[in-house]
Amino acid sequence: MQIAPIDSLELTILMPCLNEAATVGACVQKALGFLRQSGIAGEVLIADNGSTDNSRQIACELGARVVAVAERGYGAALIGGINAARGRFIIMGDADDSYDFTALQGFVDRLRAGSHVVMGNRFGGIAPGAMPPLHRYLGNPVLSFIGRLFFNVPVGDFHCGLRGFDAASMRGLGVKTTGMEFASEMVVRSALAGLRIDEVPTTLRPDGRTRPPHLRTWRDGWRHLKFLLMYCPRWLYMIPGLVCLMLGGAAGVALLFGPIDVGNIVLDLNSLLVACFMVVLGTQLLTFGALSRYYAMITGFLPRSRSTDSLVKWASTDRLLLVALCVFAVGFLGFGDAVWSWANVHFGPLYNPFIPRLLIVGITTMIIALQTAFAAFMFGIFEIPLRK
């Protein structure tokens, strides 16, 4: 294959590698064969993550370029490879011979047509024994569904390891994770940045490794899920908090003036306590959600949004403290009235069932006010680095 000048390379086929001597040679040969057959000016790049076998030697002898990435981890290897790639486009895939590097034309066509990220979709093309049943029927479908739900990404296989992307666009995202969750971060950050994401069918075959895979099912699955949750305060905090607040508030208002019969069940004072606890929890989750979204915005962790800008424009430590003071005053009036009524019977038995209800609601309101006040100071702390 004729080697093109560096500045005219269209495609880099990138493979992260850690002790893949049994398979890296076959992968390099297939990738180089694709470049020759398609007439694409490109390179095969191996991002070696500290192999102790002869993976690097095999890759070099077959015509691949090898870069050493000292920091360990799947994501670290890929970040190093992306930064070293010379092609305008990059197609990445594992060096374990489970992906067909001779069938990359669909990725190239989509990239040439303007897609920023092109994901492979293995479902429908999984050979027998290529994917463990737990991954195929639980892990990948569930995590892919969560990714689509949280970030509105039109991708059926969120964690396919064969994917292509525009090199400049990907470098501009500033992906940071060094482990397996890099696969999720790449898609999530692309979606949040408004990049065009497409998908093409691909196949998955049993890998040719003679050692156990680097992937650890439960550990890496949890890391993916944790990443998706942390990147979406709306689903981690806001929606659960809003549900708790609405259910607890509706039940609390209904139970404030007396018990409620639901079939053969009587909801009374204990149910009111549970409703108040739900209101407190909901308020706390909404507070966490607002603070985390603001922090993510000012640190660049998440992009700006209209709702966040409106919240920041309205909110200030002083204004939030004033709101907290007003809420506390309302709760204190209810609490004080209940205590005064109790004092009138010399703190003895209460025969008016409304008094303990008013006491519970008053205490709940004061707790919410105190939470809001402390959140106001936290909001002010987040603002300190921004002040000039």
Side-chain angles (χ1 to χ4, degrees):
M1 181 182 64
Q2 183 178 359
I3 299 177
I6 291 176
D7 58 359
S8 66
L9 292 183
E10 182 181 19
L11 178 64
T12 293
I13 301 176
L14 171 62
M15 305 177 199
C17 178
L18 176 60
N19 295 328
E20 304 285 8
T23 56
V24 68
C27 293
V28 169
Q29 288 177 319
K30 291 176 182 178
L32 289 173
F34 168 76
L35 293 175
R36 283 193 297 268
Q37 184 177 6
S38 61
I40 296 174
E43 64 172 348
V44 176
L45 177 63
I46 304 298
D48 188 76
N49 207 204
S51 296
T52 55
D53 58 11
N54 59 341
S55 298
R56 285 177 289 185
Q57 180 182 353
I58 293 171
C60 285
E61 291 176 351
L62 291 172
R65 184 164 66 94
V66 178
V67 294
V69 181
E71 185 177 5
R72 286 299 184 96
Y74 175 76
L78 286 169
I79 292 171
I82 290 169
N83 290 333
R86 297 169 178 169
R88 174 189 170 194
F89 303 127
I90 299 174
I91 296 178
M92 55 171 264
D94 297 338
D96 61 1
D97 203 22
S98 59
Y99 293 112
D100 186 3
F101 286 103
T102 67
L104 303 179
Q105 193 62 47
F107 293 88
V108 175
D109 291 342
R110 293 292 182 91
L111 290 169
R112 286 173 172 172
S115 297
H116 297 102
V117 179
V118 182
M119 300 289 297
N121 190 327
R122 298 165 292 180
F123 294 101
I126 302 176
M131 184 182 293
L134 185 62
H135 296 186
R136 183 172 184 175
Y137 300 109
L138 180 64
N140 276 312
V142 169
L143 290 173
S144 295
F145 170 77
I146 292 173
R148 291 193 298 272
L149 177 66
F150 284 12
F151 304 101
N152 194 30
V153 181
V155 170
D157 186 3
F158 216 72
H159 297 102
C160 180
L162 187 63
R163 54 184 72 178
F165 44 87
D166 179 82
S169 298
M170 190 57 59
R171 293 184 186 117
L173 295 178
V175 289
K176 302 180 184 303
T177 51
T178 59
M180 289 292 182
E181 65 272 28
F182 175 89
S184 294
E185 183 183 13
M186 176 187 292
V187 183
V188 169
R189 279 189 174 269
S190 298
L192 293 173
L195 301 185
R196 176 177 164 185
I197 303 174
D198 283 321
E199 193 172 43
V200 296
T202 189
T203 59
L204 183 72
R205 302 177 304 178
D207 64 59
R209 290 186 177 115
T210 56
R211 53 158 182 79
H214 299 302
L215 180 69
R216 296 293 181 266
T217 298
W218 295 107
R219 180 199 65 183
D220 292 319
W222 164 242
R223 290 175 70 169
H224 280 290
L225 177 59
K226 182 173 64 174
F227 176 87
L228 293 175
L229 289 169
M230 289 193 301
Y231 256 75
C232 194
R234 178 188 304 159
W235 281 95
L236 179 61
Y237 294 119
M238 306 298 281
I239 291 178
L242 189 60
V243 170
C244 286
L245 185 62
M246 293 177 64
L247 291 178
V253 171
L255 291 166
L256 177 60
F257 301 102
I260 299 175
D261 294 332
V262 181
N264 296 324
I265 301 174
V266 178
L267 303 179
D268 201 355
L269 200 61
N270 291 334
S271 300
L272 178 61
L273 276 171
V274 173
C276 289
F277 288 152
M278 290 181 66
V279 171
V280 171
L281 176 61
T283 304
Q284 192 170 54
L285 289 174
L286 289 172
T287 302
F288 284 165
L291 289 172
S292 62
R293 185 62 181 84
Y294 177 61
Y295 177 78
M297 184 191 75
I298 63 176
T299 58
F301 190 64
L302 291 176
R304 304 181 73 93
S305 68
R306 183 177 300 178
S307 58
T308 307
D309 287 338
S310 299
L311 175 64
V312 172
K313 185 177 180 180
W314 176 85
S316 67
T317 300
D318 293 344
R319 183 171 290 172
L320 290 172
L321 285 173
L322 182 60
V323 170
L325 180 61
C326 293
V327 174
F328 186 89
V330 172
F332 187 78
L333 286 174
F335 172 79
D337 184 65
V339 172
W340 179 258
S341 299
W342 192 18
N344 286 336
V345 296
H346 307 290
F347 298 102
L350 288 171
Y351 299 102
N352 184 350
F354 181 70
I355 301 304
R357 298 174 189 278
L358 186 60
L359 181 67
I360 293 171
V361 172
I363 292 175
T364 300
T365 305
M366 289 191 293
I367 291 173
I368 291 173
L370 291 173
Q371 285 184 340
T372 304
F374 287 119
F377 283 108
M378 181 61 71
F379 181 80
I381 291 172
F382 286 166
E383 280 193 312
I384 289 175
L386 304 178
R387 294 173 184 164
K388 296 180 180 180

